[in-house]
Amino acid sequence: TTVFTFDPQNSGTPTPQIPASGKVSIKGVEINVNASDATTISYGGKEWRVIGANGEAGVATEEGSMTLLAKDNFGLTRFCEEHPYDTNNYSAIISENTHESALKAAIESSVTFTTAEDAVIKLVNLTGGTNATAQDGMYGDDIKDAKLWPLSVSEANAVNSELRKATYYWWLRSPASRTYDAAIVSPDGNVDSIGSPVGPSYDGGVRPALKLNLSSVLFTSAAAGGKSGSASANLSAAGAPTGAQKLTIVDSEHNLGTATTTNLLNAEQEITVNYTGASTGKALSAIVVKKADGAVTHYGKLAENISDPNGNASVTLPEGFDRNTMDLKLFTETINNDNLTDYASQPVGVTVGA
């Protein structure tokens, strides 16, 4: 798993070369990043907004990743576990003079990921410091390999103000300007560095951020009804989804060994593809992608609940298919319910003759 290290002095604010917001193409789909209309992604059974993508726009972003912020709070918690050891130390663990950070525990347990989803998460390292020096980062020890984390003051300030709004104020990991307080974001989206007391009488929102590895994302589809319909040889144009989206990700439990055809293209664009080593009980699907950038132009579910790992399937290639600029790829997949991530094997390319 790739580890990305935050420098709290500059990781939250985009560099001059990276726009604070914009549109970024992910597998041929235009994603709105860190804007009031930022794309909503369903992941881990929760809804998130895209605040950074591929090092091209947004917050806490670099090439090959997508950064998400919870669409709203995933519950409420105090920052510190209990009296008399109130502390705004986010990384605190139980010891003689402090109790475990309640916020850290709540952040880390706020989402239950599947094994496949977990494998796509890019781990981050959070740099700590003293209460006096961590105004732009985190008070406490460094945290390594975090899957979920709360934003710092600088990161929150770099997030679009409309996206910062929530149903209740939410905690940041940074200490506030007052001792024993922690910074927060108010329901109207204002970043409040004066903050809120961290004691047991003060509950704030749990709103984590998450980073995904784009190399494991095959494509996006509508979160609801994006792959509905029965199996057929026809491939449909992969238009840009409207509304919330979900991901189809590579999963090691899905396999496809080979996919070949001896057919030449004909007027009907129909070919038969022979495959081996397919995971049974899965769907067999196909995509057409552009060679230049991997953008998905067409998708189709060829068969459902395949019972034999070796077999064949008919494919009707889309009008205008050009084997010089496009690739046909097959894969097995599990298509889950609305708003739940779909899982797929690594796509296998099919060489189509002229």
Side-chain angles (χ1 to χ4, degrees):
T1 303
T2 303
V3 177
F4 177 74
T5 301
F6 277 107
D7 177 355
Q9 298 303 317
N10 57 31
S11 68
T13 304
T15 64
Q17 293 77 27
I18 301 177
S21 61
K23 298 180 183 297
V24 176
S25 178
I26 303 296
K27 311 297 182 179
V29 173
E30 196 171 71
I31 301 293
N32 293 330
V33 179
N34 199 31
S36 59
D37 61 347
T39 299
T40 297
I41 300 288
S42 291
Y43 200 77
K46 305 281 191 179
E47 287 194 323
W48 311 75
R49 306 297 291 275
V50 180
I51 61 170
N54 205 37
E56 297 178 39
V59 182
T61 179
E62 79 281 351
E63 185 177 359
S65 75
M66 179 165 60
T67 308
L68 309 177
L69 176 67
K71 187 176 181 179
D72 202 342
N73 298 324
F74 292 165
L76 301 177
T77 185
R78 66 196 65 176
F79 193 108
C80 179
E81 186 57 40
E82 61 181 87
H83 279 311
Y85 304 120
D86 294 355
T87 176
N88 51 13
N89 181 338
Y90 176 72
S91 64
I93 58 174
I94 295 175
S95 65
E96 182 178 352
N97 60 358
T98 186
H99 285 259
E100 183 177 16
S101 164
L103 177 60
K104 182 172 181 287
I107 286 282
E108 293 176 348
S109 64
S110 62
V111 187
T112 301
F113 298 106
T114 65
T115 301
E117 288 174 326
D118 197 71
V120 179
I121 297 173
K122 296 188 73 171
L123 305 180
V124 304
N125 294 336
L126 305 175
T127 302
T130 67
N131 204 327
T133 64
Q135 296 298 315
D136 200 28
M138 178 184 71
Y139 170 41
D141 296 332
D142 295 351
I143 294 177
K144 295 183 177 180
D145 298 345
K147 296 176 184 177
L148 298 165
W149 77 94
L151 298 183
S152 68
V153 166
S154 62
E155 289 164 355
N157 275 321
V159 172
N160 179 276
S161 60
E162 288 297 312
L163 298 186
R164 294 198 301 253
K165 293 180 178 180
T167 54
Y168 199 74
Y169 81 82
W170 46 285
W171 296 111
L172 300 175
R173 70 177 186 270
S174 302
S177 56
R178 299 180 303 193
T179 304
Y180 301 123
D181 289 3
I184 62 171
V185 177
S186 61
D188 64 2
N190 178 57
V191 178
D192 183 357
S193 59
I194 296 177
S196 170
V198 297
S201 300
Y202 300 90
D203 282 348
V206 178
R207 197 175 183 186
L210 168 70
K211 189 181 288 286
L212 300 180
N213 189 338
L214 288 176
S215 66
S216 296
V217 176
L218 293 187
F219 55 91
T220 71
S221 58
K227 296 179 181 176
S228 58
S230 56
S232 76
N234 297 317
L235 305 182
S236 301
T242 58
Q245 301 178 26
K246 69 174 183 173
L247 308 179
T248 298
I249 62 175
V250 174
D251 172 32
S252 61
E253 297 299 315
H254 290 67
N255 298 293
L256 182 64
T258 65
T260 60
T261 185
T262 58
N263 297 154
L264 301 179
L265 287 178
N266 54 39
E268 288 74 31
Q269 300 282 88
E270 294 179 355
I271 63 173
T272 298
V273 177
N274 302 303
Y275 62 85
T276 64
S279 297
T280 58
K282 315 297 184 186
L284 180 71
S285 301
I287 51 176
V288 172
V289 302
K290 294 180 180 179
K291 290 179 182 289
D293 59 7
V296 177
T297 64
H298 291 78
Y299 164 85
K301 181 170 49 179
L302 307 179
E304 297 182 277
N305 194 28
I306 54 179
S307 58
D308 194 320
N310 308 314
N312 60 72
S314 297
V315 181
T316 301
L317 294 168
E319 183 178 354
F321 177 84
D322 183 349
R323 69 190 187 94
N324 295 312
T325 61
M326 300 176 178
D327 284 325
L328 172 67
K329 297 186 176 185
L330 266 62
F331 55 95
T332 59
E333 69 171 332
T334 296
I335 302 172
N336 290 308
N337 293 334
D338 290 350
N339 303 306
L340 298 179
T341 305
D342 295 337
Y343 311 129
S345 65
Q346 282 284 2
V348 176
V350 181
T351 300
V352 180

